[in-house]
Amino acid sequence: MPLSAHAQEAAQRPKWTLVIHGGAGIIEKSRVTPEQEAGVRAGLEAALEAGSKVLAAGGDSLDAVQAAIQVLEDDPHFNAGRGAVFTWEGKNELDSAIMDGRTRAAGAVAGITTTRHPVAAARAVMEKSPHVMLAGAGADQFAREQGLEQVDNSWFGTPERRRQLDKMKANSKLGWFDVDLKYGTVGAVALDEKGHVAAATSTGGLTGKRWGRIGDSPIIGAGTYADDRACAVSATGSGEYFIREGVAHEICARVRFKGETLKAAADTVMAETQALGGTGGVIVTGPTGEMAWSFNTPGMYRARASSSGERLVAFYGEDHP
Ligand code: ASP
């Protein structure tokens, strides 16, 4: 008996999917050195591997996104964990969020300075506290009490990030932040075999940020959102605009209420963010197995894998838009 269209579609749908990003910005072939390119590629591949392993073994999307992010937090090529950008005062203050699409449980930390894996702290807030978001010294204290690894703040800094801060301070024309001082926020979204989605994002924020500035990454609905009824989203870019647009939730809302494809919803919301003045991008996946990304910068470090055997790493706009 021939399969119904619905059954055919279900049979073709990948059992699991994983999409990750390593930041968006002025990422152009002429600006990225071969060493930088090789380092970023290796990092994205290692993160894809860590997350895929969880999903291929039948694990949860929540564990997969955390595993992928922790690899990138330890990799100094990315602006998250070790390799995070410096604040104006020359410190590292880290933001992260994680969300479970099954229950819409969420956890986030902002401005933490001593917890090695900010995404693990976000997850602990979600699972071990009655709160959704903790900030500053209290968030680190909570993470420490939960037994999460603590490091000296200097562990996060690298000479390259110091150079970027010095360059920014030396050039007053650069303004509040410089899109050229490459972004490198990391994010991951996944669908697991059971049909549940999850999203996570981790960042050091923007070079030279001041006064306890917090961007979109740890704000549920702005830089991070997951809902089994729609999709999972992680964003990267000029966070203030992403907060104002409510990017991640807005994409999920379009999918849920308008039935748009993930790609169509992401493109529309990125266009609206751009109209406000925002630059950056998003990665998206959902229960249909669709994997999408959308960005309005010259490039976005990004990669994806699925149970169908697909495996792709891309940097520039012209590759796999
Ligand atoms: N969105 C992050 C922030 O504004 C930065 C980035 O994605 O590069 O903190």
Side-chain angles (χ1 to χ4, degrees), residues 21 23-24 79 95 177 182-186 201-206 209 213-218 223 235-240 242-243 279-281:
H21 71 72
N79 172 19
D95 303 334
F177 59 83
K182 288 188 193 51
Y183 293 137
T185 291
V186 305
T201 311
S202 185
T203 189
L206 302 176
K209 66 182 183 180
R213 179 265 185 195
I214 293 164
D216 60 315
S217 308
T236 173
S238 48
E240 280 70 7
F242 285 64
I243 296 174
T279 56

